[in-house]
Amino acid sequence: MSHPIIIIGSGLAAYNLARELRKLDTATPLTVISRDHAGFYSKPMLSNALAGNKSIQQLVMKSAETMASELNATILAHTEISAIDAAAQTVTINDGRVLPYRDLVLALGADPIRLPLSGNGAAGVMSVNDLDDFAKFSAALEGVKTVAILGAGLIGCEFANDLLARGIKPVVLDPSNWPLSRLLPAEAGERLAAKLTEAGVEFKMGVSASAVDAIEQGYALTLSDGSIVTADLVLSAVGLRSRTQLAAAAGLTINRGIVVDRQLQSSAAHIYAVGDCAEVAGLTLPFVLPIMQQARALAATLAGTPTVVKYPAMPVVVKTPACPTVVAPPAIGAEGDWQVEIADDGITARFVGSADELLGFALIGAATSQRQAMAQQLPPVLV
Ligand SMILES: Cc1cc2nc3c(=O)[nH]c(=O)nc-3n(C[C@H](O)[C@H](O)[C@H](O)COP(=O)(O)OP(=O)(O)OC[C@H]3O[C@@H](n4cnc5c(N)ncnc54)[C@H](O)[C@@H]3O)c2cc1C
């Protein structure tokens, strides 16, 4: 029997790839190895699970056993890979077992960035980047009245909106002047802030936390302007960093992510990377739509038809029901200007280039109904 294709990871990148592969190739042995439970769940649901009143069990859509039988795969849960030998085409499990592979796919995800906070409460700052984190966060919410959220990006705003469903007051802190400042022009960001504020979120913009101290009940956060905010719990949502350590130790080329070509192949033969850990054409895009494109392309390549990944325009729906928001940011470095139309029930912001072409957009409130029509006018992200 030939050696298997081994996928490390059991997140959306790993399982989307496994599913796409099985559509094209039902025979090649497939092994999925994950240091977590390896159940299938949708990570985006973690930031609106409180409103949906979902238990941890309900969030797991399929157990590792069900996935193994559906995919005709061997699934090793709670199994961490500690080393890759690219020349010998083997991986080492942390109990010392060595497994050979035909092809290896790294679907390792990304780690939450931790701010360099001082104070004796810094270690108690939580982040939610997987189901186990969410289980801890959700258990810690018992009896909590206020949560300080570090970061007013997508994840910070979504958790803020979601906490309202539990009657908990979120206080969102961010050094920028408006939420989602890297994705929205000022007028749109200010509308988002106003709508979330109306719903019960408090924003403290233009400040960052420098220290978190444990106090008798909860935490005291010292901010960059010298003021103090107290909260029962602190959640950090300041961004992600691709998990590259395993690949770096194996000698693979690393930049912001594990560097792969358009066929998702790393600098080593027979090793590929997909999802939040991968950097494709200079882009690390920690979202579901790029993962789907990568999974389809890599499945075809692994099934014998070398295929490059292409990205269409990929708008992101922000899960803030208090203020429906969709963003399709222009490419980094794109030249152009925001043209913003403001109405009582929504905002349409177009990022337009010198030839009057649409390069990106942001839609707020009722304007989100234009999402599909405007997405069709956008250039693809990767042709
Ligand atoms: C709260 C939240 C909300 C989000 N909402 C949206 C949204 O609305 N829309 C959207 O497009 N995107 C959203 N995202 C982003 C999206 O969920 C991610 O891009 C996607 O889930 C990443 O999948 P992944 O498989 O690359 O990584 P992960 O799901 O992180 O999976 C990584 C896997 O690797 C395993 N692993 C890591 N190291 C090892 C090792 N050494 N040995 C064995 N196993 C290992 C882990 O156990 C895990 O199974 C959200 C993210 C978060 C955190």
Side-chain angles (χ1 to χ4, degrees), residues 10 12-13 34-36 43 47 81 107 109 155 276 286-288 319:
S10 59
L12 289 175
S34 182
R35 67 183 179 197
D36 66 19
K43 194 186 282 201
S47 48
I81 297 297
I155 308 283
D276 286 6
F287 298 106
V288 176
K319 301 187 295 296

Side-chain angles (χ1 to χ4, degrees), residues 69-105:
S69 95
E70 278 188 13
L71 294 167
N72 181 27
T74 301
I75 298 187
L76 306 179
H78 303 295
T79 303
E80 182 160 3
I81 297 297
S82 54
I84 301 165
D85 185 332
Q89 288 185 222
T90 60
V91 291
T92 304
I93 298 177
N94 60 1
D95 64 8
R97 274 181 292 161
V98 174
L99 304 180
Y101 60 80
R102 185 199 87 180
D103 291 293
L104 177 67
V105 181

Side-chain angles (χ1 to χ4, degrees), residues 88-373:
Q89 288 185 222
T90 60
V91 291
T92 304
I93 298 177
N94 60 1
D95 64 8
R97 274 181 292 161
V98 174
L99 304 180
Y101 60 80
R102 185 199 87 180
D103 291 293
L104 177 67
V105 181
L106 307 176
L108 302 166
D111 283 316
I113 294 172
R114 301 283 297 183
L115 290 174
L117 295 166
S118 60
N120 66 3
V125 174
M126 307 188 93
S127 49
V128 176
N129 185 40
D130 59 34
L131 196 63
D132 292 336
D133 292 342
F134 181 74
K136 284 186 208 134
F137 177 62
S138 167
L141 288 178
E142 198 59 45
V144 156
K145 293 198 175 64
T146 53
V147 174
I149 300 180
L150 310 180
L154 283 163
I155 308 283
C157 288
E158 291 184 357
F159 274 112
N161 200 149
D162 205 35
L163 283 163
L164 297 173
R166 280 277 180 94
I168 295 170
K169 181 167 187 63
V171 183
V172 182
L173 314 167
D174 196 291
S176 59
N177 292 326
W178 60 87
L180 269 61
S181 61
R182 275 186 281 171
L183 304 171
L184 297 178
E187 298 88 335
E190 279 155 13
R191 176 72 65 94
L192 173 66
K195 288 284 174 192
L196 285 171
T197 303
E198 233 173 83
V201 178
E202 185 178 337
F203 283 96
K204 288 192 178 293
M205 304 304 292
V207 290
S208 54
S210 54
V212 177
D213 285 290
I215 53 174
E216 202 178 320
Q217 211 192 0
Y219 297 92
L221 291 81
T222 307
L223 308 189
S224 48
D225 63 0
S227 63
I228 307 262
V229 165
T230 58
D232 299 320
L233 212 65
V234 187
L235 179 69
S236 175
V238 296
L240 294 170
R241 189 171 289 128
S242 300
R243 290 194 180 115
T244 55
Q245 304 86 332
L246 196 58
L252 273 56
T253 305
I254 302 300
N255 187 31
R256 270 176 306 136
I258 302 168
V259 174
V260 294
D261 63 17
R262 294 283 297 274
Q263 288 184 23
L264 289 321
Q265 190 183 312
S266 73
S267 56
H270 300 287
I271 304 184
Y272 302 84
V274 284
D276 286 6
C277 69
E279 178 176 324
V280 187
L283 300 170
T284 46
L285 297 174
F287 298 106
V288 176
L289 288 180
I291 285 176
M292 314 283 271
Q293 301 294 327
Q294 293 167 9
R296 267 182 233 128
L298 183 52
T301 299
L302 293 174
T305 308
T307 302
V308 296
V309 66
K310 295 179 185 174
Y311 292 155
M314 298 178 288
V316 176
V317 177
V318 186
K319 301 187 295 296
T320 45
C323 182
T325 300
V326 179
V327 292
I332 294 164
E335 304 228 342
D337 295 299
W338 284 107
Q339 295 176 359
V340 183
E341 270 170 46
I342 300 179
D344 285 347
D345 62 355
I347 291 184
T348 305
R350 296 180 176 81
F351 191 87
V352 176
S354 57
D356 214 26
E357 75 282 25
L358 187 68
L359 297 175
F361 63 76
L363 304 170
I364 301 276
T368 52
S369 63
Q370 303 171 74
R371 173 179 71 163
Q372 271 188 334

Side-chain angles (χ1 to χ4, degrees), residues 8-84:
I8 313 179
S10 59
L12 289 175
Y15 278 144
N16 272 298
L17 171 64
R19 282 191 173 130
E20 294 297 330
L21 181 67
R22 280 301 184 232
K23 289 182 194 166
L24 306 173
D25 171 353
T26 52
T28 302
L30 177 64
T31 303
V32 174
I33 303 176
S34 182
R35 67 183 179 197
D36 66 19
H37 50 89
F40 177 73
Y41 74 105
S42 170
K43 194 186 282 201
M45 289 183 71
L46 299 182
S47 48
N48 58 4
L50 300 176
N53 216 6
K54 297 256 189 226
S55 68
I56 307 303
Q57 291 75 15
Q58 285 168 326
L59 287 169
V60 180
M61 292 153 157
K62 288 181 181 174
S63 66
E65 293 71 29
T66 306
M67 293 306 286
S69 95
E70 278 188 13
L71 294 167
N72 181 27
T74 301
I75 298 187
L76 306 179
H78 303 295
T79 303
E80 182 160 3
I81 297 297
S82 54
I84 301 165

